Amino acid sequence: LSMYAPRTNNGLERAPTLQEWLSLLVNGNLAGPRDIAPTDPEEFLKGNQGDRFFYGRVAGVAQGSQWTSRIADEPGGFELTIPEPGNAISYVIGTVDHNTFGTEQIQSAPMLVRYPDTAYRAHGNYGVRYQVFLPLYNNTDVSQQITLKLQTPLQDETLLSGLRFYRNPADRIFFRGTVRLRYNGGLGSERSRYIHIVQRQGQEGEPLLQLTLPPGTRRTVDVDFIYPPDATPPQVLTVTTLDNPAYIEANTADPDVAESENATIQMPATEITTVDIPAAEITTHNSGNEPDI
């Protein structure tokens, strides 16, 4: 906080008094112009939803500091059955009003205290710790290989059985942060890996991890990160069962690990690819509708 120094009768500058500082805080024109006032989510649902929705600036105290979830086949379950070879399942990360990839799950924390003309929710949950457990289960009688990706699909609330990506993502960074993966290695030892990810709008992403699951086995993967301020939500975590694991394993130096690489490529906006995911296999179970306090 700063102010122009008051002057004495002789024209000399003097230090402000405490009362002058308080008056500046209460009555001063400190910042402007103010941003567009946000849309009230509850009132928006009652009115014309064809109108534009304004998120607003986040300024206040949000509820909670951690989002913990276990992705399972059913609420309260302890197994996530891997999809059939060639298929995938995805779990949403950081969803906001009217941008949930068709799941209708809003993860933005409510604001406990806020300025009157600022956001009703902490859109993006910036600084919130995400810890997502994936208790993978291979229910087949043959070994399967799965990959895990962090992805930034294109916004689409109408597509209920898939995700849309650019073939060549534009140079607009939508996620820049570090993710920790913890899992059991092939010999049963616990492994931890830190991966710094730079991802662009509509980027499908490269595998962060590749695991082999023998028939009937279970392996839990723990995905842990703080949602970075240099990001635009939402993202998804995607588990894919490889359609031709023998080919992949023969061409991967470490069958348990595949590094993510990022490239900056310009693209026409019309080049879009769609990855189909059966609607029944989109899992959005979490430990609560709001981040834990």
Side-chain angles (χ1 to χ4, degrees):
L1 184 66
S2 63
M3 65 182 295
Y4 288 109
R7 294 184 179 274
T8 65
N9 294 333
N10 297 328
L12 301 177
E13 293 183 350
R14 63 171 176 81
T17 65
L18 177 59
Q19 187 58 43
E20 287 171 332
W21 282 118
L22 293 174
S23 177
L24 177 66
L25 284 172
V26 175
N27 303 314
N29 187 17
L30 302 181
R34 302 292 290 177
D35 203 353
I36 298 175
T39 303
D40 184 330
E42 301 301 328
E43 293 299 322
F44 185 79
L45 294 176
K46 301 175 185 177
N48 181 9
Q49 297 188 33
D51 295 339
R52 183 176 177 182
F53 185 91
F54 292 96
Y55 291 95
R57 299 287 181 179
V58 178
V61 179
Q63 176 180 317
S65 61
Q66 182 168 324
W67 179 280
T68 301
S69 60
R70 182 178 63 250
I71 308 176
D73 295 331
E74 57 186 23
F78 292 89
E79 291 180 349
L80 176 61
T81 303
I82 61 174
E84 295 181 359
N87 291 336
I89 53 176
S90 294
Y91 177 77
V92 292
I93 297 290
T95 48
V96 299
D97 290 275
H98 311 290
N99 196 355
T100 68
F101 300 125
T103 65
E104 298 184 357
Q105 182 190 77
I106 299 172
Q107 295 181 2
S108 300
M111 301 299 294
L112 301 179
V113 180
R114 51 178 283 273
Y115 286 98
D117 59 348
T118 61
Y120 288 85
R121 308 189 209 269
H123 304 300
N125 286 345
Y126 297 108
V128 169
R129 179 187 179 187
Y130 273 81
Q131 190 168 27
V132 182
F133 297 92
L134 297 91
L136 303 174
Y137 171 50
N138 177 10
N139 65 340
T140 71
D141 56 1
V142 296
S143 291
Q144 302 287 352
Q145 285 199 355
I146 64 95
T147 61
L148 177 66
K149 295 181 180 181
L150 180 74
Q151 301 180 301
T152 304
L154 297 171
Q155 179 178 357
D156 193 331
E157 289 294 273
T158 63
L159 188 62
L160 302 181
S161 60
L163 301 169
R164 299 169 65 242
F165 301 92
Y166 287 132
R167 289 195 182 95
N168 298 305
D171 191 16
R172 297 180 61 191
I173 303 299
F174 266 49
F175 188 94
R176 191 198 313 266
T178 300
V179 175
R180 181 179 69 177
L181 302 176
R182 290 190 294 183
Y183 59 98
N184 290 327
L187 299 178
S189 60
E190 183 172 301
R191 299 185 182 182
S192 294
R193 302 186 67 238
Y194 291 83
I195 305 172
H196 185 72
I197 301 172
V198 179
Q199 201 158 94
R200 290 156 175 80
Q201 180 187 23
Q203 185 167 351
E204 189 172 354
E206 297 295 328
L208 306 177
L209 186 66
Q210 182 175 309
L211 293 176
T212 300
L213 276 71
T217 60
R218 296 168 174 81
R219 296 178 72 177
T220 297
V221 178
D222 173 12
V223 181
D224 195 345
F225 63 95
I226 294 176
Y227 197 86
D230 193 5
T232 300
Q235 280 75 34
V236 298
L237 285 173
T238 297
V239 176
T240 304
T241 302
L242 299 180
D243 200 16
N244 192 350
Y247 173 81
I248 297 295
E249 189 167 7
N251 288 275
T252 304
D254 183 348
D256 269 354
V257 176
E259 294 283 356
S260 173
E261 297 180 355
N262 299 283
T264 302
I265 307 175
Q266 295 291 341
M267 62 147 298
T270 56
E271 292 191 11
I272 296 176
T273 182
T274 299
V275 177
D276 290 324
I277 301 174
E281 294 184 345
I282 295 181
T283 303
T284 58
H285 169 66
N286 63 83
S287 60
N289 290 329
E290 300 170 351
D292 297 336
I293 298 178

